[in-house]
Amino acid sequence: MQMNRRTLLGGLFAAAAVPALSACASGITSLDSEGTAGGGGGSSKDGVTIGTANFTENQVLGYLYAAVLEAAGVKVKVRPNLGTREIVFPALKGGDIDLLPEYQGALLHYLDPKATATEEGEMQNAITVALPAGLQVLPYGMAEDSDAFVVTRETAKKYGLTSLADLRKQNGKLVIGAAPEVKKRQVGVIGLKDVYGVEFKEFKSLDSSGPLVKGALKKGDVDVANLFTTDTDIQANDWVVLSDPENLIPGQHVVPLIADRKADSTVRKALARLGNILTTAQLTELNRQVDKDKKDPEDVANAYAKQHGLAK
């Protein structure tokens, strides 16, 4: 990622509450040898229900989880496109689903809006401290996908925009487009104002790095769009990703969030293997196949899993 992950998680509480991190050669960091501080009393023998949020990449990840778990002999059910984190997290906590593909920084800020950790290992610790009883994160993978605030090349030249700090010079003049929840998130309108002093003329509720927000950016209906860094349309359209000198946007490695009751060694090992193989570039390509080639997310995930020896 383009940001410096320099902020340390302070305090003896976090150090005492969470075991020391062990860095694997693969680049995946776990909280102990099993990948969690929660211990291993769960069982997947009755199957695992996987939920996903309402955007392409999360659905692809959900089906990738399903593919590797099925290959490990676990019965799975996928409930895709359930909605935003504000919907899927309570569903996991309430027992309607057992497993979610998550993103470190976004999950941490959902759990603790005042969190300052930005480095991967620190965030893993902080998430574990902040999670409610009954839930745990498994080792995070190599692949990551972060929020990005994007403008067209023309808009960047017109207003002299290269970083999020530059938006303040145009306070009250620019329109931002994003998913509705971004209006109330720290990595969104609130954080842009708190950290950079940015105020927009208007907020347009659209979708999560989807056709609505990207179409609005192309047409000029919005000046700034909140997209994901794995969105292939950014490069295809020569859009400008505004830099983040104050590290508002944390690192976003993909991380499985699971209920303790299902987190047995079979599940842990299968998901860790996927995390150690799937790269950001590969995840971007899978997104492209769904969004551009109009392939089914489940088919794309299954093909990837077979190609990389994760499923038969």
Side-chain angles (χ1 to χ4, degrees):
M1 304 301 296
Q2 71 269 24
M3 65 204 74
N4 295 318
R5 299 190 179 93
R6 63 190 181 207
T7 307
L8 297 178
L9 176 63
L12 294 175
F13 170 71
V18 184
L21 293 169
S22 59
C24 303
S26 63
I28 298 176
T29 304
S30 60
L31 292 169
D32 58 28
S33 60
E34 290 295 328
T36 178
S43 173
S44 60
K45 66 178 182 179
D46 294 327
V48 173
T49 299
I50 303 166
T52 84
N54 56 341
F55 58 94
T56 294
E57 181 176 286
N58 210 250
Q59 293 178 54
V60 170
L61 286 168
Y63 285 116
L64 282 171
Y65 285 7
V68 298
L69 290 178
E70 285 181 334
V74 179
K75 291 184 289 186
V76 299
K77 177 181 179 182
V78 179
R79 297 183 62 188
N81 202 35
L82 293 178
T84 67
R85 183 171 291 103
E86 288 78 4
I87 295 173
V88 293
F89 187 91
L92 177 65
K93 186 178 177 182
D96 295 323
I97 55 178
D98 306 309
L99 173 63
L100 279 174
E102 261 293 0
Y103 304 87
Q104 281 186 314
L107 176 59
L108 177 57
H109 277 277
Y110 173 79
L111 296 168
D112 179 8
K114 296 182 180 180
T116 58
T118 57
E119 188 273 330
E120 296 94 333
E122 297 159 8
M123 286 192 289
Q124 197 85 342
N125 274 296
I127 291 168
T128 300
V129 171
L131 277 173
L135 301 181
Q136 59 184 266
V137 282
L138 302 185
Y140 64 82
M142 291 191 296
E144 57 182 324
D145 179 11
S146 185
D147 284 272
F149 293 94
V150 176
V151 298
T152 65
R153 184 69 60 182
E154 292 74 20
T155 297
K157 291 179 179 179
K158 180 179 179 180
Y159 296 112
L161 305 176
T162 61
S163 77
L164 296 176
D166 294 330
L167 293 172
R168 184 173 55 189
K169 296 182 294 185
Q170 306 300 328
N171 273 357
K173 298 178 182 179
L174 302 180
V175 177
I176 183 172
E181 60 270 17
V182 174
K183 189 174 184 179
K184 297 181 179 180
R185 285 183 175 174
Q186 181 66 17
V187 183
V189 173
I190 291 176
L192 286 170
K193 183 175 182 179
D194 291 346
V195 175
Y196 289 105
V198 176
E199 296 182 4
F200 293 100
K201 176 182 178 181
E202 182 184 354
F203 178 92
K204 288 195 174 183
S205 296
L206 299 168
D207 53 12
S208 296
S209 205
L212 295 180
V213 68
K214 288 184 284 189
L217 186 63
K218 286 181 181 179
K219 294 177 182 177
D221 293 336
V222 301
D223 303 296
V224 182
N226 175 221
L227 305 182
F228 301 139
T229 54
T230 54
D231 195 319
T232 55
D233 277 331
I234 295 175
Q235 183 176 358
N237 290 282
D238 193 33
W239 289 334
V240 177
V241 175
L242 300 177
S243 66
D244 180 24
E246 298 297 329
N247 296 330
L248 168 66
I249 305 170
Q252 300 282 22
H253 282 269
V254 175
V255 63
L257 176 62
I258 190 169
D260 290 349
R261 62 184 179 275
K262 299 293 183 178
D264 61 16
S265 61
T266 300
V267 172
R268 296 171 191 272
K269 290 176 182 178
L271 294 177
R273 189 178 176 207
L274 172 64
N276 199 25
I277 291 175
L278 181 66
T279 66
T280 301
Q282 291 168 349
L283 184 56
T284 302
E285 169 58 19
L286 299 183
N287 291 341
R288 188 199 65 77
Q289 291 180 30
V290 176
D291 289 336
K292 297 300 182 184
D293 297 344
K294 305 303 179 184
K295 293 183 179 180
D296 182 79
E298 184 174 9
D299 293 340
V300 167
N302 288 338
Y304 174 90
K306 291 177 181 178
Q307 179 185 357
H308 290 83
L310 296 167
K312 297 180 179 179

